[in-house]
Amino acid sequence: MPNQARPGTGEQARQHALERLRQAILRGDMAPAQRLVENELAEQFGVTRASVRAALIELESEGLVERIRNRGSRVRVVTVEEAVAITECRMVLEGLCAAKAAVAATDDELAQLTTIGRAMTKAVADGEPVTYSELNQELHARIRQFSGQRTAVELLEKLNAQLVRHRFQLALRPGRPQRSLGEHLAMVETITARDPQAAEAAARAHLTSVIAALRE
Amino acid sequence: MPNQARPGTGEQARQHALERLRQAILRGDMAPAQRLVENELAEQFGVTRASVRAALIELESEGLVERIRNRGSRVRVVTVEEAVAITECRMVLEGLCAAKAAVAATDDELAQLTTIGRAMTKAVADGEPVTYSELNQELHARIRQFSGQRTAVELLEKLNAQLVRHRFQLALRPGRPQRSLGEHLAMVETITARDPQAAEAAARAHLTSVIAALRE
DNA sequence: ACGGACAACATTGTCAACAATATTGTTCTC
DNA sequence: GAGAACAATATTGTTGACAATGTTGTCCGT
């Protein structure tokens, strides 16, 4: 039973295939560099090849899939070098979002950031790296959201999607949460202080540290 | 005679349609918000609807086209507000590229920047806004290229494509070249001085000025 | 005249079959 | 046995037809 969603409903085939395939790649179900044969995917998802094709084209421009003319598609492998380049872009874009958020966020939204910061501190104290990683994601997402910078948010989400594998690897590294906690708290503090320049600097400092960690 | 390229050659239909359509939008042949009916485009380009469809999906994720389910595609209109948001992203990304270029460029490449800077100065002195605008494009492109930051370059090219209309409008504004010339020269100077921080600051200052001009 | 049901139309979404291309395996020559 | 031409296979690219959906215009009752 390859299908987990009803094929007969109004759910458009292409969108269905797109979502299934994207999730499969993001969850790591597809091995890196694995070949993605249109026919196989079509059967697996219970849609036609045309829909899979459309989904692959879309995923290609999201950077999750690599396509070569007449040769097929594969899950794109992001080298460490590329991961660094991507994270450099994240650095400046998250800096922009942090600065914007420091100005644009409501008081209620700032309180949310503080709450997440406290939870992160607790997660580190309790030695729960998985919880910490989730809160990490949550914090970055909120800051993006509060910035109100739709273009930057879209770019960042695309960039982040390409880094799933590296992020996963990074989160499990011992000592990493302890180091990054302070950086995250600095971001929260500067944003809640409504200091855009300091917020940008804090975000960039954090991402700089991530880059250093990526390089091992 | 709608076709300008031979249909029988090895040129893949989808890529052909993609390129034609992208150029048409970028050249402004398609009015903003114009409806893009798949059948019409297919006939116009001499390819089948499936190829046009694939091209539209790709252009959608490039931000040039807007698609609504079961309702069709249109040329995306970028509001001034969006143009500002896009340019803010450009600001930080070009800042990154300028900083990288200051470190990574070869001496020969730096000389190219200086040459373009001189040509820009001359274009302003001679009162040739079109030449100046072209050199402007050229300078930014070179800096991106010399940075060696492929991810940032890709993002910037996508962002720039969305701004064609606004850029065109901006270039013809009287007095604008005079104002931006100094900013451009500052970018060249700081990069050739191999000072990444100053280069980033100069790039950001320039784009900040562009944002101010966009807002009128 | 006004509003709603309904039918005709236009357009996109999906499908299955066909053509083109690259890869792989085989055979033949030397 | 090694290498090149060649056939066989696998996979993608393309096509035209069909189904589903949204839109527009018309007819009817009030």
Side-chain angles (χ1 to χ4, degrees), chain A residues 11-14 46-51 69-71:
Chain A
E11 172 134 337
Q12 301 283 77
R14 175 181 138 243
V47 299
T48 52
R49 205 160 68 85
S51 304
R69 264 189 35 165
N70 294 319
R71 298 234 280 162

Side-chain angles (χ1 to χ4, degrees), chain A residues 7-187:
Chain A
T9 67
E11 172 134 337
Q12 301 283 77
R14 175 181 138 243
Q15 199 153 336
H16 176 63
L18 178 66
E19 214 48 51
R20 290 275 314 265
L21 188 49
R22 184 190 281 128
Q23 288 304 321
I25 294 176
L26 259 45
R27 296 168 59 107
D29 295 353
M30 305 289 192
Q34 177 174 338
R35 286 201 63 188
L36 299 173
V37 178
E38 297 179 0
N39 257 326
E40 291 176 11
L41 297 175
E43 189 172 2
Q44 190 176 336
F45 297 155
V47 299
T48 52
R49 205 160 68 85
S51 304
V52 171
R53 226 178 134 66
L56 285 172
I57 291 174
E58 196 152 347
L59 288 174
E60 180 189 24
S61 56
E62 282 183 33
L64 292 179
V65 163
E66 204 174 18
R67 279 164 50 88
I68 310 175
R69 264 189 35 165
N70 294 319
R71 298 234 280 162
S73 315
R74 31 176 109 249
V75 179
R76 181 167 161 237
V77 286
V78 176
T79 65
V80 171
E81 203 178 356
E82 284 173 309
V84 168
I86 291 171
T87 309
E88 285 174 345
C89 292
R90 278 187 60 202
M91 176 182 72
V92 296
L93 288 169
E94 297 223 19
L96 173 66
C97 284
K100 287 261 163 190
V103 174
T106 66
D107 289 340
D108 178 63
E109 288 170 341
L110 294 185
Q112 293 180 37
L113 298 185
T114 306
T115 303
I116 296 175
R118 293 223 179 89
M120 290 178 91
T121 306
K122 183 171 185 302
V124 168
D126 296 354
E128 304 207 21
V130 177
T131 306
Y132 180 77
S133 177
E134 286 169 3
L135 288 167
N136 183 346
Q137 292 298 111
E138 178 76 12
L139 178 66
H140 283 272
R142 287 287 166 90
I143 293 173
R144 287 199 299 264
Q145 184 189 327
F146 298 162
S147 73
Q149 233 288 18
R150 252 194 32 198
T151 306
V153 170
E154 277 174 36
L155 294 179
L156 279 169
E157 282 172 358
K158 275 192 190 177
L159 292 177
N160 274 320
Q162 298 177 36
L163 293 177
V164 269
R165 202 161 297 272
H166 290 276
R167 170 168 33 245
F168 188 70
Q169 190 186 344
L170 207 63
L172 298 180
R173 200 170 298 180
R176 178 77 202 140
Q178 286 77 357
R179 164 164 254 166
S180 78
L181 175 61
E183 299 162 6
H184 282 126
L185 292 180
M187 290 170 62

